[in-house]
Amino acid sequence: MKSLRFSRKQLGIPYALFLLIFVIFPLVLIILYAFTKVDPNGSFELSGVKVSFSLANFIDFFSKSSNIRVLFISLGLAVVTTVICLLIAYPLAYILARSNFNKNGVMLLLFVLPMWINFVLRTAAMKELLFAIGMYSSNKLSFVNTVIGMVYDYLPFVILPLYTVMIKLDKSLLEASADLGAKPASTFFRITLPLTVPGIVSAVTMVFLPTTTSYVVSDTLGNGNVTIIGKIIESQFSTMFDWHAGSAIAMVLLVVIFITMFITNKFTDDDNTQARGNGLW
Amino acid sequence: MKKFFSLTLAFLMLFPTIFSVGCAKKDDVIYLDVYNWEDYLCIDEDVNLIEAFEEMASEKYQKTVKVNYSTFGTNENMYNELQLSKVKREDGSYDYGYDLVCPSDYMIQKMILEGMVEKYDRTLNNLTNYDTYSSNYILNLFETNGWTDYACAYMYGTMGFVYNPDVLAQNGYQDGDELKWDLPWKTYYKNLGTIKDSIRDTYALAIGYVYSSELLTLKESYNSGNYTESEYSKEVEKIFNLTDPETVQKVTDALTVLKGNVYGFEVDSGKRDMASGKIAINFAWSGDAVYTLDIAEEAGTELYYTVPEEGSNIWFDGWVMPKGANVELAQDFVNFLADPENAKSNMNFIGYTPAVAGEEMVELCKEWYGVYTLIETTDVDNADFIDDDGTAYFEYYIQDAIDEGLLVEGINYTLNGIDSETGYKKITVSEIKYPEYDDDENIIGFTSEENVELFDYDVSFLLTTREDNLNGVTYSVWTDTLGRQLTTQYPDRETVMRCAIMKHFSDEEMKRLNDMWDEVKVMAMPTWLMWFIVISILVVAVVYPIMAELNKRGVRINIKRKNPNLRLIKREILK
């Protein structure tokens, strides 16, 4: 019997199909919905309703002050969460990568373990915990609680990429730096940090966007006092039945994310990004 | 590549065969696609209404009847799902993927307006249970609003506050606080209340607050006879359905203030938070309120439910058949649920009030909320309970005991006339004996309570059927638990009269409400945070590319740094 052989192209087909059906097609739909509006005299039909091209959805979005506020709050939340995550995760990943007792990955496992417990459950448990320590004595603390919840949920996503980058870090570079007389601090800022930037970038990529949209956390921990853009999108789809406006907001968010990604990618050296799959994990 | 194609083709060719095998016996099986709220039908180990229906219907049709039961979490999700399931028919109308769905009042109106629902066909004569046993009030309500042909009521209730009197008392409770809509606005209850994270419900709450004085004046003139019943309820309905920009503005202001005073917004967590004592005021649907009261009782807390005296929202969920439904079978299902026996299981399982009324439901109420007492008997063989001394007892419902002359006025109980506070007939029973059970429900002894005050709570308004109403039958329950589960499930006539149905809002109105909602929900952001974000983004976006560009062109901006080697050399020299 002849053995089965696949060329590289053929091996790529399953993923290409997946990409086409679940990534590109929905994206095209979102764009289509974002730039159209229900119009009885419309030129074509979208899921049985006459629509026409229009920028009205975007104009509506930007002409409401609450929308601008929500955009800022979401981004603010995302920035704060990302920064805190990095501040906690970076030293931790550094210690994990450098220490000997992590040979079996036990320590790493401990930090990634929470990820395997259901997200909603974890958030609900977090609420009980925060209540016990008195974080719900005033509803002004809602934002803080939300940040804590977000950090808790996304920390593993920061630790992992940082850890993988740091474990690959060439120790001889550090030794060389020390040999040439650099102090530990100097070595860190001039060798370790620049070399781990790809890890930081991918960590940011994995935390920044989800934080702006995971309204389960903000609803549960913020007692509904913190509204983020994900919630606004959801309400457009589910209470207003306005898929067009909802898609437009999703598009706005997408653009904002692209800008942030563009900026973060500027921090990585060109050749480095090539080596690490453009900074995306 | 060829191989891939042939493989795919082979696979594709397999598909129809798989399908045809699956469909081969289709003619013998009738499917009923039911789409209902989560946890809104009694399905447990003892009573499974779906299986019971399948059995019953299979016998009727002499074919296998299968119920495809699925559930939804919000009306809006249900509507979206229906829209996604629709298939165009040849005549241009749509066919929806479900036979029976259970939306709320406003969604039913929306669906009727959009021509999505099939009419009930009463010529099929299979809605007899529903027409016989439904509450007269509900049937009238449906008739006056013209929904009878499109929908059958399933469950209904009011909106109001669940509150914890003990906690309120600790926080500066003033007499009558719980009776008005401004309860959560009271600054001395700061951080103690929750409101619903849903536009329509919280809008009703705010309307009650904003138009409090108007509603009270209205009630006053109704009480003094200036309005008839129907005029009064129409006026209340008008106020609760106001959506003009001025009202919306007032509501925005009221809710912005409220947002700073409450613990938060919730949809589901309020029940647990109430029972665990995190909060003391919960704006709730009556069905959820009953559940909250129950779980709090298990935890040893006594909570109460009140419908504010200004008036409130009365809502219902009903069965509608989307276009293209199997009408006969769907009606069978609705009728099956309207059987008092099944309604009782449902009420027990869900905690919401079914639209089914009549004697059997009253008996259930008595069993749950009425007061029973043990009375000595000589009929030792049939006794319910024999204590250690060998005295035998029967268990009697208080009213029955009075009727049968087992309790004597002046000795066992005193008539107190009408209670001024509640307006109900009141008696004081000198001693009530009741059995005590262990965990296995074996009687282990009895306790007694002295001087128990009982109220004659009239449940006729909601619990009489058409026929009862014609015959002038009235029902009442002697109870000691006013303000709790019984009154929550079956509010009295006066309470129901001041409650209004909230209408479906048009797209334009809904947009106005949604804008209001966003305005309220999105927090006012500190200006410094906004500036901080803008500036930091600008700095990064402008400075960094410039630096990079300069770097590329060979321009280096050198910030003078101490050469670490210099220090080493110095040290060497010093040595």
Side-chain angles (χ1 to χ4, degrees), chain A residues 4 10 64 69 72-73 128 131 136-139 143 180 223-225 227 237-238 240-241 263 266, chain B residues 1 3 76 79-80 191 259-260 262-265 278 514-515 518-519 521-523 525 540 544 565:
Chain A
L4 272 176
Q10 284 168 337
K64 251 175 73 185
R69 266 181 2 234
F72 270 111
I73 286 166
E128 295 299 314
F131 186 81
Y136 283 98
S137 54
S138 155
N139 57 16
F143 191 80
L180 291 172
N223 273 338
N225 288 322
T227 307
F237 276 93
S238 63
M240 298 300 295
F241 308 116
I263 296 169
K266 278 274 167 212
Chain B
M1 209 62 191
K3 192 164 277 163
E76 286 71 21
Y79 180 86
N80 272 335
N191 223 13
K259 194 189 171 193
V262 292
Y263 177 73
F265 297 79
K278 276 199 186 96
N514 196 54
D515 286 354
D518 285 349
E519 192 59 43
K521 287 279 317 267
V522 178
M523 24 175 191
M525 205 174 47
V540 175
Y544 200 84
N565 295 337

Side-chain angles (χ1 to χ4, degrees), chain B residues 229-240:
Chain B
E229 233 166 49
S230 63
E231 278 170 346
Y232 173 59
S233 45
K234 239 183 220 132
E235 287 300 315
V236 176
E237 196 174 294
K238 216 183 272 172
I239 291 183
F240 273 98

